[in-house]
Amino acid sequence: MRRGYSPMHSGRPRGNTAPVPGRVRCRPLGHFTLVGLLLTVAAQGLSAAPTTPAADAWRRQVEADWLRQDALRAAPGGQVTTREDAAGGCDGVKNGKFGFHTDMVADPWWQVDLGKSRPIRRVAVYNRCDLADRAARLSLLVSADGRAWREVYRHDGTVFYGATDGKPLVVRLSDVEGRYLRVQQPGTNYLHLDEVEVYEATEGGPNIALGRPADQCGVSQWSVRKVLALGPGGTHYPYGQALARARGLLRELAAGGVAAKAFRGELEALESRVRALGPTSSEGARRSLYLSCRWAARRIALSSPLLNFDRLLFVKRVPGTYSHMSDQNYGWWSRPGGGVFVLEGLRGAAPRTRCLTGSLPAGSFLSPDLSPDGKRVVFAYCRYYPWVSQAPDKVDKAKLPEDSFYHVYETRVDGTGLRQLTRGRQDDFDPRYLPNGKLAFLSTRRGQVLQYDATMSLASGGTVSWDSYVRCGGGPWRPVAIYTLHVMDADGANVHALSPFESFEWTPSVAADGRLLYARWDYVDRTNMPYMSLWSTNPDGTNPRIVYGNFTTNPHAIFEARCVPGSRKLLFTASAHHSITGGSLALLDPAIGTEGPEPITRLTPEVCFPETEGWPSTYFANPYPLSERLALTAWSNLPLLSEGSANPPNALGLYLWDAYGGLELLHRDPGISSMYPLPLRPRPDLPVHSSGVFAKKPTDKPETAGPEGRFLLLDVYQGLTGVQRGEVARLRVVAVPPKTQPTMNSPLLGATGDDPGKCVLGTVPVEADGSAQFRVPAGTAVFLQALSKDGLALQTMRSATYVQRKQVAGCVGCHEPRNLCPPNVRAIAASRPPSRLTPGPEGSWPLRFDRLVQPALNRQCVSCHSPASTDKAAARFDLSDARAYESLVTYGSPSLREQVLAAYRLGASQVGQGIASESRLLKLLRAPGGHYGVTLDADSLERLTTWMDTYAQYQGSFSEEQEEHLRQLRVRWADLLEPRSAVANGGSPGGQAAFGAMAKTAAVPGRVP
């Protein structure tokens, strides 16, 4: 993983920035023009003496914030960056100890950026005196660009010191010029020096390396943050860091066409004053000079042409009392305070705020968005009731006030026209204006139905009676209701489902190509901890696909992703599982890949990825990119707290972040957090995606079998390494019903404690060329398995997918690389009508061990393996109804239970290593000659392998009502099934009532979900 930006390492070369097929392309949000000279003059006005109490107070707050940042950076703890440790090699401190310390690596190096190409006539190296012999063979290299290096000196092996004897290693050079000087140690070793000085003159002159940006190959356990200091005594102010940042910002300002001559002169004067500091300089003079350096850097930063706005939209809020990525969006954990605000006079001497929501009762506010014309604001709000968080049974939502749930509101930016858009006892939040005029948002109204189709209209005033819940936590006091993507008209009418996903979705944003970016939690048959990955979908819910992180476990959560203007990259918050949204900022380049550390550049490496790398002492949230090197963000000067502690009410303020390590305060309320900064300006029109999904009106006559779609797989062998063509015979389609119980691990479905619901819809054929095309119910979360000729799973999806009504969703292969182009062949399956689903054996829909596996055991095994058997050895392996499940899952080493848990922890399906194919039990039963003469018939083999490869669960539904619902869906979906199987396992006579109750949860009279 690449670390942070530095002037000497700007990251991977851009290369060809053409769009990658199937990737989110982030285009410029418009070209902004400013008159550079006027902007410079206006910015310089910030240096004028304050003339009002408000301006004086603001100036003091900004300066106090800088000093607070410095103190936090100098404090021990947290993740030290290479630049922070390397700064000790040119900080002016020479005491015979190490100024920086790399780890033991091959050819370790340290380097300094001199700002521009300069003559290098003399280099003085001060050694660490207690282990001085380690540096006896060091070499010096120079570079003009930080990439191509030339060795200019290699030491002869004599030991040198410096601070203790006044005899550093002095290297005199001729005809050497460069911007970067590197010190490198040959072989596998540590590199740890006291100080490195660089001079343009052979004798005398200033040390041009002093306070310059430095970097090194890596950090070690002895690395610490350095506060650059000049001169002895008193507080050591980081002049060098402030001036280096100012110079970097100035270069970018000049490159952007802004007149920078006045700024350049100011910096030269400040540098001269810093060099003139002496031992007798007073503390007040040193502090004043340092703050002058910081004000100069701030004026340059705020002069960026990208800041072509002078107002910000933002929210003040107190985080909820339950710190968890899921619970943070429920109204019942809210704390009161704040509202939606506008910050005006962004670059002025005394910025001011204006509240847009003062007419609402005390409550909590979430996640605003600005309309494309910049005139309207949508946000989420819930009213605060002190007793709601303590309600012992929050599942019975009828007992809770309707306005205690988050609902979507809209107002004009002048504070008029406030209106409520959603209603009901669901939490609705994170609204986003779509290019087609509709609003996308997240909602808990997903409910318990298996088929949750985009054509289902959910009336804003309706109430979903039964929520669906997370599989790995909760209870009546803390029900963790699932929320997913929804959409509604601009006036709040015609609410539709965008996603039928059975688990959480988070933090949507509209990409530059008009798609929705969002995070979702994929833990189908794998551990629940780390898989909060980044996805995209069309605004009608079609074409959901991974953008990054389906198998990457660090960071835990890819939250708040937004397109970077003028770039193909995305800016996101690397967040934690067991806390509120917050962490480190990172850039993602989807063109590099969809997994692993390579596509990620850490922008704030001083903040660790929370939970996976520790808990940071400061953190970021809500980034809004202006470029790859400049962003609005919220920043906390307090630690991020994990589940079990309520995060502080006032941790976050609004800042301008830059790639040179700067954080410029824009607004901070000492009493409450300020969050979600958005430029208050119109934005360019984005592409509108055409769609047929919503063409069917809710009042139209329902389809007999419900809405459907299709999957087209081009070549299943793409990605199945080691599997020969012809080995894959069929695909198994498994639906994933949502959890209907709020209590953790209730009921237990299988070995892991948080197994997903499962319903085997059936299998479909794979053609000789590896292609398959088949019909599936729309709006139903499913996963696929590639089956061998004898029905064993060769590969299994570890996430769920779905299609919308009338959609044909295609994929290249089975776990193929995401950047793989489709094969240039005509798939056989595409030239024929789509296959119907051939249902599996009785007991697979709904999934139940006693109906799927037990009949085969009763037919072929129980006569010997039961307490009544005369064979005492066989009787001990009891396969009668009461003991069969436990006997089978514990047999062998590894047992089925151990296999399932190992695969669950691994998190990714391995080709050819399915549960059934690796099962000791199945190998015993399929041995030549059978087991004591008993040979599995085809039906028994299919029953056992189906059960094993769906993770050997005892059952696949969470309640009797859901089980009956699944039976009735089989009747409703008869047209999707092979005719010979359509009536084989119909619903029970009493099932219609239960199915009707489930249908009513969609709040559509007469409509089957």
Side-chain angles (χ1 to χ4, degrees):
M1 182 179 297
R2 291 169 288 161
R3 300 183 73 86
Y5 281 108
S6 74
M8 61 200 79
H9 283 303
S10 58
R12 184 182 296 268
R14 292 177 183 270
N16 182 7
T17 58
V20 177
R23 301 290 177 249
V24 175
R25 186 183 180 191
C26 302
R27 303 178 306 172
L29 294 181
H31 298 282
F32 310 130
T33 59
L34 290 176
V35 180
L37 180 59
L38 292 178
L39 183 57
T40 300
V41 172
Q44 286 179 326
L46 288 172
S47 63
T51 57
T52 66
D56 187 49
W58 173 238
R59 187 178 186 91
R60 288 196 303 269
Q61 186 180 9
V62 171
E63 292 176 348
D65 190 81
W66 288 331
L67 298 176
R68 170 69 170 162
Q69 291 181 39
D70 292 339
L72 289 170
R73 287 171 177 166
Q79 182 169 329
V80 181
T81 71
T82 55
R83 289 177 293 165
E84 288 173 333
D85 190 38
C90 52
D91 61 356
V93 177
K94 292 173 286 188
N95 56 15
K97 301 178 182 179
F98 60 84
F100 63 90
H101 201 306
T102 74
D103 206 352
M104 180 174 285
V105 295
D107 303 323
W109 55 264
W110 173 96
Q111 66 189 39
V112 62
D113 177 7
L114 303 176
K116 62 181 179 180
S117 187
R118 295 182 170 194
I120 300 175
R121 298 290 180 262
R122 179 165 47 103
V123 178
V125 181
Y126 290 77
N127 204 351
R128 171 184 179 176
C129 295
D130 57 341
L131 293 168
D133 58 313
R134 285 183 176 172
R137 297 283 180 185
L138 62 76
S139 57
L140 302 181
L141 301 91
V142 295
S143 173
D145 57 7
R147 292 188 290 272
W149 295 89
R150 177 169 67 95
E151 184 177 291
V152 296
Y153 174 79
R154 180 173 295 185
H155 195 49
D156 59 8
T158 58
V159 177
F160 62 94
Y161 297 94
T164 56
D165 61 1
K167 297 179 180 180
L169 171 64
V170 178
V171 180
R172 301 183 189 280
L173 302 169
S174 61
D175 299 324
V176 173
E177 186 171 316
R179 174 175 173 174
Y180 302 94
L181 176 87
R182 175 177 286 187
V183 182
Q184 189 155 347
Q185 184 88 331
T188 300
N189 211 328
Y190 296 104
L191 179 60
H192 39 53
L193 299 172
D194 186 2
E195 184 81 358
V196 178
E197 298 176 341
V198 182
Y199 299 89
E200 290 182 301
T202 56
E203 296 294 338
N207 170 19
I208 61 175
L210 184 61
R212 297 299 309 180
D215 206 352
Q216 63 194 47
C217 59
V219 295
S220 70
Q221 60 179 304
W222 302 281
S223 297
V224 295
R225 294 186 179 94
K226 306 300 192 309
V227 177
L228 297 186
L230 291 176
T235 303
H236 287 182
Y237 295 104
Y239 307 97
Q241 287 181 348
L243 291 173
R245 172 176 168 248
R247 284 189 292 263
L249 291 169
L250 186 59
R251 286 193 298 272
E252 296 200 8
L253 201 63
V258 176
K261 183 177 180 180
F263 285 135
R264 191 172 293 111
E266 182 181 9
L267 290 184
E268 290 173 354
L270 287 170
E271 289 170 341
S272 296
R273 292 174 59 191
V274 169
R275 287 194 295 269
L277 280 174
T280 59
S281 300
S282 69
E283 173 71 14
R286 299 169 66 80
R287 183 180 186 278
S288 177
L289 178 55
Y290 172 63
L291 294 177
S292 295
C293 295
R294 293 299 301 257
W295 279 111
R298 179 182 177 89
R299 288 192 292 273
I300 296 171
L302 294 180
S303 296
S304 171
L306 298 173
L307 292 167
N308 68 331
F309 50 89
D310 202 39
R311 295 186 298 167
L312 283 183
L313 181 74
F314 73 101
V315 160
K316 292 185 182 184
R317 75 181 301 261
V318 178
T321 58
Y322 204 99
S323 296
H324 192 283
M325 62 178 185
S326 305
D327 301 71
Q328 64 182 323
N329 296 309
Y330 300 138
W332 47 56
W333 301 128
S334 67
R335 291 190 280 179
V340 181
F341 286 79
V342 172
L343 177 66
E344 299 173 325
L346 183 68
R347 288 187 296 273
R352 58 198 177 276
T353 61
R354 174 170 52 88
C355 183
L356 306 183
T357 54
S359 61
L360 290 171
S364 179
F365 297 80
L366 271 177
S367 53
D369 193 35
L370 192 66
S371 64
D373 61 6
K375 296 180 179 179
R376 290 164 291 131
V377 181
V378 283
F379 60 94
Y381 159 80
C382 70
R383 186 171 181 175
Y384 174 69
Y385 292 88
W387 58 271
V388 167
S389 65
Q390 301 304 312
D393 183 8
K394 300 180 181 68
V395 177
D396 187 358
K397 297 194 295 185
K399 295 180 180 178
L400 304 179
E402 183 177 318
D403 58 356
S404 69
F405 295 84
Y406 282 106
H407 294 124
V408 176
Y409 288 74
E410 185 181 53
T411 185
R412 300 187 188 96
V413 296
D414 63 2
T416 64
L418 179 67
R419 60 175 179 167
Q420 183 176 345
L421 298 182
T422 65
R423 291 174 170 81
R425 286 179 170 82
Q426 307 93 16
D427 283 298
D428 302 320
F429 56 96
D430 279 13
R432 299 293 179 257
Y433 288 100
L434 294 174
N436 60 12
K438 295 179 180 290
L439 285 165
F441 64 104
L442 294 172
S443 178
T444 58
R445 63 184 71 216
R446 190 249 175 269
Q448 297 181 4
V449 293
L450 175 60
Q451 186 174 42
Y452 196 48
D453 176 59
T455 58
M456 292 166 53
S457 178
L458 302 173
S460 294
T463 298
V464 177
S465 301
W466 298 327
D467 287 335
S468 59
Y469 302 96
V470 70
R471 289 183 265 117
C472 59
W477 176 77
R478 184 213 164 196
V480 188
I482 295 296
Y483 39 80
T484 58
L485 288 168
H486 289 68
V487 69
M488 61 182 166
D489 292 343
D491 61 358
N494 200 24
V495 176
H496 292 288
L498 280 186
S499 169
F501 192 53
E502 58 87 35
S503 189
F504 283 99
E505 295 171 334
W506 287 278
T507 62
S509 71
V510 182
D513 63 1
R515 283 188 283 172
L516 272 171
L517 296 168
Y518 63 102
R520 82 177 202 182
W521 191 1
D522 264 308
Y523 70 108
V524 173
D525 289 340
R526 59 182 181 177
T527 177
N528 58 54
M529 278 293 294
Y531 301 108
M532 281 60 73
S533 49
L534 181 63
W535 285 67
S536 70
T537 184
N538 293 337
D540 61 356
T542 59
N543 198 28
R545 58 190 312 170
I546 186 71
V547 176
Y548 175 80
N550 198 30
F551 299 104
T552 300
T553 58
N554 187 32
H556 267 171
I558 313 295
F559 281 175
E560 302 186 308
R562 288 183 181 268
C563 283
V564 176
S567 172
R568 69 189 181 190
K569 299 177 183 178
L570 307 168
L571 176 62
F572 71 90
T573 304
S575 197
H577 181 137
H578 295 99
S579 191
I580 59 176
T581 297
S584 188
L585 301 185
L587 273 182
L588 169 67
D589 189 345
I592 293 177
T594 60
E595 301 293 343
E598 290 78 13
I600 291 180
T601 300
R602 297 191 188 218
L603 298 184
T604 57
E606 72 278 7
V607 178
C608 64
F609 285 172
E611 194 161 4
T612 56
E613 298 175 346
W615 290 99
S617 56
T618 66
Y619 65 93
F620 292 84
N622 324 135
Y624 186 95
L626 302 173
S627 72
E628 290 184 16
R629 304 177 68 79
L630 198 68
L632 303 170
T633 186
W635 178 71
S636 169
N637 56 19
L638 298 173
L640 182 67
L641 302 181
S642 61
E643 182 180 7
S645 300
N647 272 272
N650 59 343
L652 293 163
L654 306 181
Y655 290 80
L656 178 69
W657 169 90
D658 64 68
Y660 296 94
L663 272 178
E664 292 297 342
L665 178 66
L666 303 177
H667 176 75
R668 181 180 280 278
D669 186 326
I672 188 172
S673 284
S674 298
M675 306 176 64
Y676 308 112
L678 297 174
L680 213 168
R681 64 183 180 191
R683 67 183 186 220
D685 293 334
L686 299 177
V688 177
H689 292 244
S690 61
S691 173
V693 170
F694 297 111
K696 182 177 178 58
K697 298 179 180 179
T699 54
D700 290 348
K701 184 179 179 181
E703 292 119 322
T704 302
E708 67 172 79
R710 300 178 185 178
F711 282 111
L712 174 61
L713 174 66
L714 295 181
D715 184 3
V716 72
Y717 298 101
Q718 299 293 326
L720 288 184
T721 305
V723 177
Q724 300 299 314
R725 289 193 173 272
E727 287 189 41
V728 181
R730 301 184 72 81
L731 299 176
R732 180 182 288 133
V733 183
V734 184
V736 187
K739 188 174 188 285
T740 62
Q741 303 285 352
T743 303
M744 184 175 183
N745 300 334
S746 176
L748 286 173
L749 303 189
T752 71
D754 50 32
D755 297 90
K758 292 199 182 98
C759 176
V760 179
L761 301 185
T763 63
V764 294
V766 173
E767 302 293 345
D769 64 349
S771 64
Q773 184 184 193
F774 51 98
R775 298 164 62 185
V776 290
T780 303
V782 299
F783 67 88
L784 308 178
Q785 293 182 314
L787 305 182
S788 65
K789 292 179 180 178
D790 51 3
L792 276 65
L794 297 170
Q795 182 72 293
T796 299
M797 287 176 61
R798 282 294 184 268
S799 60
T801 188
Y802 51 85
V803 291
Q804 301 289 4
R805 179 178 178 267
K806 300 182 180 180
Q807 180 195 4
V808 179
C811 57
V812 175
C814 188
H815 288 201
E816 78 285 357
R818 294 289 176 172
N819 57 0
L820 180 69
C821 293
N824 188 22
V825 295
R826 182 174 181 180
I828 295 174
S831 63
R832 61 161 173 77
S835 302
R836 293 181 177 183
L837 293 160
T838 300
E842 162 68 13
S844 61
W845 181 349
L847 185 67
R848 286 187 56 146
F849 174 85
D850 59 350
R851 295 180 183 174
L852 176 61
V853 178
Q854 194 64 48
L857 302 179
N858 290 342
R859 186 168 61 244
Q860 296 194 264
C861 307
V862 171
S863 60
C864 292
H865 295 287
S866 73
S869 173
T870 58
D871 186 335
K872 299 304 181 184
R876 284 194 293 271
F877 189 64
D878 188 356
L879 297 179
S880 59
D881 290 5
R883 295 288 304 164
Y885 179 81
E886 190 65 20
S887 296
L888 290 186
V889 298
T890 57
Y891 173 83
S893 181
S895 66
L896 279 174
R897 177 172 288 151
E898 290 168 335
Q899 282 183 269
V900 167
L901 289 173
Y904 167 83
R905 296 181 186 114
L906 183 63
S909 177
Q910 305 298 303
V911 178
Q913 297 181 19
I915 301 297
S917 64
E918 298 289 303
S919 167
R920 298 299 177 91
L921 176 64
L922 194 62
K923 289 176 181 178
L924 172 70
L925 296 176
R926 299 183 72 191
H931 173 61
Y932 289 94
V934 176
T935 301
L936 288 177
D937 56 52
D939 177 70
S940 296
L941 178 62
E942 183 183 13
R943 287 172 177 273
L944 276 170
T945 56
T946 299
W947 172 66
M948 290 179 180
D949 281 330
T950 51
Y951 264 40
Q953 291 183 200
Y954 185 78
Q955 64 190 52
S957 51
F958 293 95
S959 65
E960 293 181 3
E961 294 81 4
Q962 186 178 60
E963 185 175 322
E964 189 58 45
H965 170 61
L966 297 176
R967 290 194 187 96
Q968 292 307 313
L969 282 179
R970 185 162 180 164
V971 176
R972 300 291 297 184
W973 293 345
D975 189 52
L976 299 174
L977 310 179
E978 289 291 346
R980 63 180 175 83
S981 303
V983 296
N985 296 305
S988 61
Q992 294 293 342
F995 181 77
M998 297 291 284
K1000 289 178 182 178
T1001 66
V1004 185
R1007 187 73 192 277
V1008 176

